[in-house]
Amino acid sequence: MTDIKSLDLSEIENLITEMGEPKFRATQIFKWLHLGVDSFDEMTDISLKLRERLKESCYIASLKIVRRLISRIDGTVKYLYELRDGETIESVLMKYEHGYSLCISTQVGCRMGCGFCATGLGGLVRDLTPSEMLAQITTAQKDQNVRISNVVMMGMGEPLDNFEASVKFLQLVSHPKGLNIGLRHISLSTSGVVTGIEKLSDYGFPITLSVSLHSPFDNIRTDMMPVNKKWNIDALLSACKTYQKKTTRRISFEYALIEGKNDTKECAEELAHKLKGIMCHINLIPVNPVKENDNRSPDKNKILKFKNWLTDLGLNATVRRTLGADINASCGQLRRREGGKSSDS
Ligand code: SAH
Ligand code: SF4
């Protein structure tokens, strides 16, 4: 069966001209898919005959909402979605002044093994398809009756370890006849897959690249993130510079603060030194404790102190606003608590 929601317009054109149908029908089908229909029968302007033929050879990737947690503090909605094969993933819908933003997953699990991350603890189960990334958006939009204008690829998984599908997703989600979410409104977060950053720079997408740096020292970073053994900080930052040269986009560095680990003045100073020459913004995130390790976030004052060291050193740094604190923020934690595959399946 063909995963029709992962196809671009020209691929749908090929599919239906092979069925003897006129090309223009492809646009109608494409529009329906991106509106978020879950069955071919909802495509009311398509002939019954064509709908039947599509049903025989294609499926529409759909998600079932297994859990929906709504924050009483700020209305943030956290979803646990079930995929066709019973696996589960998470998305988080956040409301900002300028609209709605959805944090999406790109894999079931993750193979990068960062010790502080709930997703990394269980390893990689499988990659998501472009359609499963899109369906996280269309399902949340329908569920809450809102239009999502911003997307962050910052949920479960490493998008650059699922490169082809992530690129196809970016092309589909920004298509004017589809969801039409501008690439400037999309961020992709990576743990530092250097070959992926290099390949991505060739596409010249005007997305925001977020790089999870978390430490300017190789020994600390390797301890937190095994990926640093393969590509160390110098290799990573050199890829970031190349990326910036090609795209002229400001890079965002994520920095999850862990008490006593990466929150010292020495870290702030080395960070300023290492990031010299890169047009960037630093996003400070109080680490979210997971029960498998004893990481703790520094208190509010220490976080502010760290931020001020950075700004005094000329860096552009902000502390990320915590949304949905009461519904267990960090991605991967809900799926882990529910034990992976959906219990309903
Ligand atoms: N794999 C990609 C994107 C998903 S993780 C990446 O690592 O960048 C999204 C962000 O959440 C990353 O910056 C990651 O380091 C951070 N993160 C993961 N677990 C966290 C935790 N327990 N507390 C704070 N940030 C966390
Ligand atoms: Fe994977 Fe990102 Fe978690 Fe690391 S932080 S294990 S790369 S999802």
Side-chain angles (χ1 to χ4, degrees):
M1 295 287 263
T2 304
D3 169 15
I4 192 166
K5 200 167 168 165
S6 284
L7 303 185
D8 63 27
L9 195 50
S10 63
E11 288 166 328
I12 300 180
E13 279 172 4
N14 291 341
L15 182 90
I16 63 159
T17 46
E18 272 167 29
M19 293 176 177
E21 292 284 338
K23 221 167 144 178
F24 73 88
R25 295 252 174 258
T27 307
Q28 290 170 294
I29 297 170
F30 187 84
K31 282 185 178 166
W32 281 116
L33 290 170
H34 294 258
L35 268 177
V37 298
D38 290 319
S39 75
F40 291 105
D41 285 329
E42 289 173 69
M43 301 182 174
T44 46
D45 56 0
I46 304 288
S47 72
L48 208 59
K49 191 182 113 226
L50 178 54
R51 282 189 244 158
E52 290 305 320
R53 293 204 60 178
L54 289 170
K55 271 187 232 173
E56 281 161 21
S57 58
C58 305
Y59 73 92
I60 302 176
S62 305
L63 305 175
K64 189 169 121 199
I65 300 172
V66 186
R67 294 268 180 284
R68 181 198 294 103
L69 304 179
I70 304 179
S71 164
R72 288 207 185 94
I73 307 172
D74 50 46
T76 296
V77 186
K78 180 155 187 166
Y79 291 101
L80 185 70
Y81 288 130
E82 185 187 321
L83 309 168
R84 270 167 78 82
D85 58 0
E87 293 296 344
T88 53
I89 51 164
E90 298 177 14
S91 303
V92 182
L93 179 67
M94 295 157 285
K95 188 172 194 289
Y96 291 97
E97 280 157 40
H98 53 269
Y100 285 88
S101 176
L102 190 73
C103 176
I104 65 159
S105 295
T106 55
Q107 295 179 314
V108 183
C110 181
R111 77 168 103 215
M112 311 309 286
C114 308
F116 55 91
C117 168
T119 304
L121 288 165
L124 177 70
V125 179
R126 71 166 173 89
D127 285 334
L128 293 188
T129 59
S131 59
E132 288 167 332
M133 298 184 206
L134 285 168
Q136 295 172 60
I137 307 174
T138 48
T139 309
Q141 284 198 154
K142 275 210 289 188
D143 181 58
Q144 295 293 307
N145 197 19
V146 295
R147 182 179 183 271
I148 289 165
S149 53
N150 288 264
V151 174
V152 291
M153 301 167 81
M154 224 181 245
M156 298 167 57
E158 167 51 57
L160 298 184
D161 187 40
N162 184 12
F163 189 86
E164 302 299 328
S166 294
V167 162
K168 185 85 178 269
F169 164 76
L170 288 169
Q171 289 163 338
L172 290 171
V173 76
S174 57
H175 196 288
K177 293 200 165 74
L179 285 165
N180 197 15
I181 299 176
L183 291 167
R184 287 177 192 280
H185 297 275
I186 302 179
S187 302
L188 181 151
S189 177
T190 179
S191 58
V193 178
V194 163
T195 43
I197 296 173
E198 287 166 353
K199 272 198 288 176
L200 188 66
S201 66
D202 292 333
Y203 285 85
F205 292 134
I207 57 168
T208 299
L209 181 69
S210 290
V211 176
S212 301
L213 192 56
H214 304 324
S215 172
F217 293 112
D218 276 320
N219 58 341
I220 301 177
R221 193 168 190 270
T222 300
D223 197 38
M224 294 173 71
M225 312 175 70
V227 66
N228 200 62
K229 281 183 240 163
K230 190 154 184 186
W231 295 289
N232 67 13
I233 295 171
D234 283 347
L236 173 58
L237 294 180
S238 139
C240 289
K241 284 179 188 158
T242 313
Y243 184 88
Q244 185 148 79
K245 237 187 226 156
K246 286 199 184 164
T247 62
T248 70
R249 301 283 296 167
R250 185 168 82 158
I251 290 177
S252 169
F253 289 100
E254 308 295 303
Y255 199 101
L257 282 160
I258 303 177
E259 180 162 62
K261 183 135 192 131
N262 60 0
D263 61 347
T264 59
K265 190 161 190 194
E266 209 191 349
C267 285
E269 285 168 352
E270 184 62 13
L271 196 56
H273 174 68
K274 285 261 159 77
L275 296 183
K276 211 173 263 162
I278 303 181
M279 185 177 52
C280 64
H281 174 259
I282 298 161
N283 227 326
L284 298 170
I285 317 159
V287 80
N288 229 296
V290 292
K291 71 171 190 306
E292 286 81 354
N293 60 49
D294 52 7
N295 290 331
R296 268 193 314 170
S297 166
D299 64 32
K300 244 190 182 153
N301 282 336
K302 277 202 198 144
I303 293 176
L304 271 181
K305 210 154 117 188
F306 193 82
K307 187 204 135 196
N308 289 336
W309 285 331
L310 294 181
T311 32
D312 289 348
L313 288 160
L315 290 172
N316 190 330
T318 48
V319 181
R320 181 184 291 169
R321 191 159 66 109
T322 12
L323 284 172
D326 55 333
I327 54 169
N328 208 342
S330 258
C331 250
Q333 300 201 12
L334 183 56
R335 175 177 197 271
R336 211 167 159 72
R337 207 171 65 213
E338 304 266 334
K341 275 209 175 195
S342 166
S343 48
D344 303 355
S345 64

